[in-house]
Amino acid sequence: MKLEERVAEATNDKKLKNDLIGEYQNFILAAASKTLKRSVTTSDDEYIIAMMAFGDAIDGYNENKGNFLGFAKTVIRNRIIDSIRREAKHNSVPFSALEKENSDGETIEFEIHTVDKSDLKWEIESLTEELSNFEISFFELAEVSPKSCKTKRLCFDAVNYIINNSELVDIIMNKHILPIKEITDNIKLNRKAIERHRKYIITAVIAITQYYPAIAEYFNMREV
């Protein structure tokens, strides 16, 4: 029986659900460890968070969400990130780098006195690691970003089409390729332009669909 079929049955079977959680303990630990970029053990609080997230993934899964383990990994990561953010709200960082001095040498404080930098820092580190699977460097983005309004519109249309088709997102995440033929067969876009902006489009899709909200703002998918 396929895993996805077992997951469907486990939704209404507590024993089967617990069996799946136990069977996939190593997967849960690995997903938590990857998110936190450190080893997580069954003694850590984060393991409890990840285990509960896995259980919620079972309850919330349906075939439209694609591969179950990919879906579960996203749920685990999101739940851990939410936990980190709740804790980070209690730890702000001085914005002293933006303080200035007036002509008398007196310090003028910047109008925002504290800022929480943990979210963006985590997102950049995590996305950089994820993009390495595609042989893409996060720091290439400025270089490969579309410059003209026409090209921005093309990338917007491609990204919008992909994020609204879960099977295309699955191809990107599981096979580490941009399904150009599937895109151009269904929407009239210039194939060569799509190929030239492959890295930008892949990065945008990952940022938007894999829960990188701060970075996703960079790819502002409003009308251009």
Side-chain angles (χ1 to χ4, degrees):
M1 183 184 294
K2 287 176 59 179
L3 173 59
E4 284 73 19
E5 293 172 350
R6 295 176 64 200
V7 169
E9 287 189 9
T11 303
N12 300 306
D13 186 329
K14 189 173 181 180
K15 182 181 183 304
L16 181 53
K17 181 178 177 180
N18 288 334
D19 288 346
L20 280 173
I21 290 172
E23 184 178 336
Y24 282 87
Q25 182 183 78
N26 288 340
F27 170 85
I28 294 169
L29 288 168
S33 298
K34 184 174 181 181
T35 298
L36 292 162
K37 299 190 181 304
R38 65 172 173 80
S39 178
V40 173
T41 70
T42 54
S43 301
D44 294 324
D45 291 342
E46 289 85 0
Y47 170 66
I48 303 301
I49 295 170
M51 182 176 65
M52 291 175 66
F54 188 87
D56 289 343
I58 291 173
D59 293 335
Y61 177 75
N62 63 59
E63 60 182 9
N64 294 326
K65 299 184 187 297
N67 175 278
F68 171 73
L69 291 181
F71 172 68
K73 176 184 171 185
T74 299
V75 174
I76 290 170
R77 179 171 58 196
N78 292 355
R79 194 66 55 80
I80 290 175
I81 294 170
D82 287 343
S83 174
I84 292 170
R85 285 177 175 158
R86 283 194 296 273
E87 291 179 10
K89 285 181 180 177
H90 302 291
N91 300 299
S92 56
V93 181
F95 219 55
S96 56
L98 294 181
E99 291 177 349
K100 299 179 180 179
E101 289 186 354
N102 62 19
S103 57
D104 297 321
E106 298 172 333
T107 299
I108 303 171
E109 292 184 349
F110 189 67
E111 62 182 67
I112 300 174
H113 301 290
T114 59
V115 64
D116 176 12
K117 298 179 180 179
S118 60
D119 287 0
L120 183 58
K121 180 176 183 293
W122 180 90
E123 286 189 24
I124 290 173
E125 290 177 352
S126 184
L127 183 57
T128 297
E129 180 180 342
E130 194 143 22
L131 289 174
S132 66
N133 295 320
F134 299 82
E135 298 184 352
I136 298 173
S137 165
F138 176 82
F139 301 100
E140 289 181 87
L141 285 181
E143 231 177 90
V144 301
S145 296
K147 304 299 187 290
S148 70
C149 287
K150 182 179 179 182
T151 311
K152 287 178 183 176
R153 158 55 60 187
L154 179 145
C155 290
F156 169 89
D157 289 342
V159 172
N160 191 52
Y161 179 73
I162 294 166
I163 64 178
N164 283 292
N165 289 272
S166 59
E167 65 276 11
L168 297 184
V169 175
D170 287 343
I171 289 172
I172 290 172
M173 298 308 301
N174 297 325
K175 296 185 178 180
H176 301 151
I177 60 170
L178 182 65
I180 295 175
K181 186 176 187 301
E182 287 86 343
I183 297 168
T184 55
D185 280 353
N186 288 281
I187 52 175
K188 302 298 181 183
L189 295 177
N190 184 297
R191 184 184 181 94
K192 289 184 178 178
I194 294 289
E195 290 172 345
R196 280 199 302 272
H197 293 87
R198 178 187 66 85
K199 293 180 179 181
Y200 177 87
I201 292 169
I202 288 174
T203 305
V205 169
I206 294 173
I208 294 167
T209 65
Q210 304 301 308
Y211 202 76
Y212 294 99
I215 294 173
E217 282 295 310
Y218 172 81
F219 298 98
N220 200 337
M221 288 291 108
R222 293 177 298 183
E223 296 294 322
V224 292

